[in-house]
Structures are given as C-alpha cells and as structure tokens.
Amino acid sequence: IPKYGIFENISSMDELAAMPHWTVDRPLRIATGFNYLGPKFVKEKGLKNVKFSTADGALEAAPAMGIADAILDLVSSGTTLRENNLKEIKGGIVVESQAVFIASKKALLQRKDVLETTHEMLERLEAHLRADGQFTVIANMRGNSAEEVAESILRKTVFTGLQGPTVSPVFCRRDGEVKPDYYAIVICVPKKQLYECVCQLRKIGGSGVLVSPLTYIFDEEPPRW
C-alpha cells in the first residue's frame, strides 16, 4: 500500500480491513495479476468490499496513477516498492516461493545429452549469480610500462578485480610512429563501491572511465556440478 495519504498510519492487514473508507460503492481497489490467489487471500483475511483489477505495465505505478488503492504482486528485494513510495504491511504475505532446478537422476545417468544440457544450465546460473551486482570498469592510465601501472593500482587503490587488474597498452600515433601512449586497465567492482573506485582511479591519473554491468562471471566449475 502507499506510504502516504489515508494509508500513512496503516501497517497491517487488520488495520487495512478496519478502515471505514471501503464501502459497496467505494471498495478497496487492488491491482494484481494473481486473479485467483488475490481474492482468496483477502477473503481469508476478512477484508470486505474489495475490487480486483489488472493494470497495464508496472503494477507499482497503479496507486500513484489513481487506478488502484493497493497492489498484490511479486516482491524480491522490495527496492521497486520503495522507489514507488509503497510499503509492505504485516500479514500481507500471500505465499513465499522460490525457483527450484529439478532433474531426473535416471535421465542424468542414462542420457548424455541431458547431462550436458544440465551442465551448461548450472554453469550459466552460477555465473549469472556470481555476476549479480558486479560492474566492469575500464580506464586509461598513463605510465611507462604495464608493470608500473599495475603497481600503482595495487599500491594506491583497494580495487584489484577478481585476481588482479588486467593491464594492456593503448596505441596512439605520435611523431609518425605508433606507440603505446596509455595503458587500459580492466577491473571488476561491486556496485556499492563503484563511485569510490572511479574516484580512486582519478586520483592516480585514470581517465576515460567506462563502466558496464556484468552478465556472467565464469570461474572454476561450480561445486553443484
């Protein structure tokens, strides 16, 4: 429900049900995609005078747009709710769920193609989870050698990547000759430390900083495999 307006002091399903605002002519409007679970849940919670509807696009925007009073939707971290000035309320959890990867032991033992596909799926899942919240940072650094640049990063910053910084020459044409004028460094940085990393790189001469989110980090074969 919204954090503001008539819901500002409402923090539980009991308080929501006790609000005098909901009548036959003005029911509590709930936007959801769960058209079976939603009505079943509010009935069990004792809410009366409720009307369900679906909303085009993101449900989180429905209360602000005035087309719903509340929403019933999937929530993971709750970040999207907070960004839309919404809050979860006590007793409002309909069901807790998780995705589960299930395979047939018989098929894994007897069919090589199934085993190979399972291996790839595990690798992709593990690599995607490992990359969650990680960013690739690329910056140009001046230096006389790759070793000098690597030494500067390792000694003067706290960001060294997975095993260490990758350093490679950036070639420029100067005085008619092609020479390494800069060195490009590549490191992996957690999202929460991204800006701090950029600031530290600038202090030691970093420029042209490029940042991109990571999709996968493939490391050694996953323990689950």
Side-chain angles (χ1 to χ4, degrees):
I1 59 173
K3 294 179 179 178
Y4 50 85
I6 60 173
F7 299 103
E8 185 175 359
N9 297 316
I10 303 299
S11 59
S12 71
M13 287 295 293
D14 291 338
E15 291 174 352
L16 182 65
M19 292 178 70
H21 301 72
W22 321 126
T23 64
V24 174
D25 296 327
R26 176 57 174 91
L28 171 67
R29 301 168 302 163
I30 302 177
T32 187
F34 300 94
N35 297 317
Y36 170 74
L37 281 177
K40 180 175 180 289
F41 176 71
V42 298
K43 184 178 180 181
E44 291 171 352
K45 290 292 182 176
L47 270 76
K48 298 178 181 179
N49 300 320
V50 178
K51 180 181 179 181
F52 282 89
S53 65
T54 56
D56 294 329
L59 289 179
E60 293 87 355
M65 293 171 64
I67 58 177
D69 301 302
I71 66 169
L72 189 151
D73 200 14
L74 285 171
V75 176
S76 180
S77 65
T79 300
T80 307
L81 291 181
R82 291 189 292 273
E83 289 174 347
N84 285 274
N85 215 10
L86 300 175
K87 62 184 177 183
E88 295 180 56
I89 56 176
K90 184 179 179 182
I93 296 176
V94 180
V95 64
E96 292 187 277
S97 64
Q98 63 180 358
V100 181
F101 188 34
I102 300 171
S104 162
K105 186 180 291 185
K106 183 178 180 181
L108 292 175
L109 291 172
Q110 296 181 357
R111 294 174 56 190
K112 186 179 179 182
D113 59 324
V114 173
L115 190 64
E116 289 174 350
T117 300
T118 303
H119 188 188
E120 181 180 347
M121 290 180 72
L122 277 173
E123 288 269 23
R124 285 176 177 269
L125 289 168
E126 292 278 358
H128 187 62
L129 290 170
R130 194 177 293 118
D132 186 38
Q134 299 288 329
F135 283 75
T136 298
V137 176
I138 304 173
N140 289 335
M141 303 277 296
R142 286 193 180 275
N144 296 315
S145 67
E147 290 77 10
E148 180 186 299
V149 171
E151 172 66 25
S152 180
I153 294 167
L154 292 171
R155 186 163 48 86
K156 297 179 181 178
T157 78
V158 297
F159 303 102
T160 59
L162 297 175
Q163 279 85 31
T166 300
V167 183
S168 54
V170 177
F171 292 94
C172 304
R173 185 177 293 279
R174 188 172 56 189
D175 300 329
E177 296 183 25
V178 176
K179 297 180 179 180
D181 200 23
Y182 288 88
Y183 287 88
I185 63 103
V186 182
I187 54 176
C188 177
V189 179
K191 182 178 181 180
K192 290 183 178 180
Q193 297 175 301
L194 186 58
Y195 185 66
E196 183 185 353
C197 172
V198 172
C199 291
Q200 288 191 20
L201 289 175
R202 283 172 175 164
K203 286 180 180 179
I204 60 173
S207 63
V209 183
L210 305 179
V211 178
S212 58
L214 282 167
T215 305
Y216 297 102
I217 298 178
F218 289 97
D219 206 350
E220 298 176 2
E221 283 196 332
R224 289 177 181 83
W225 169 248

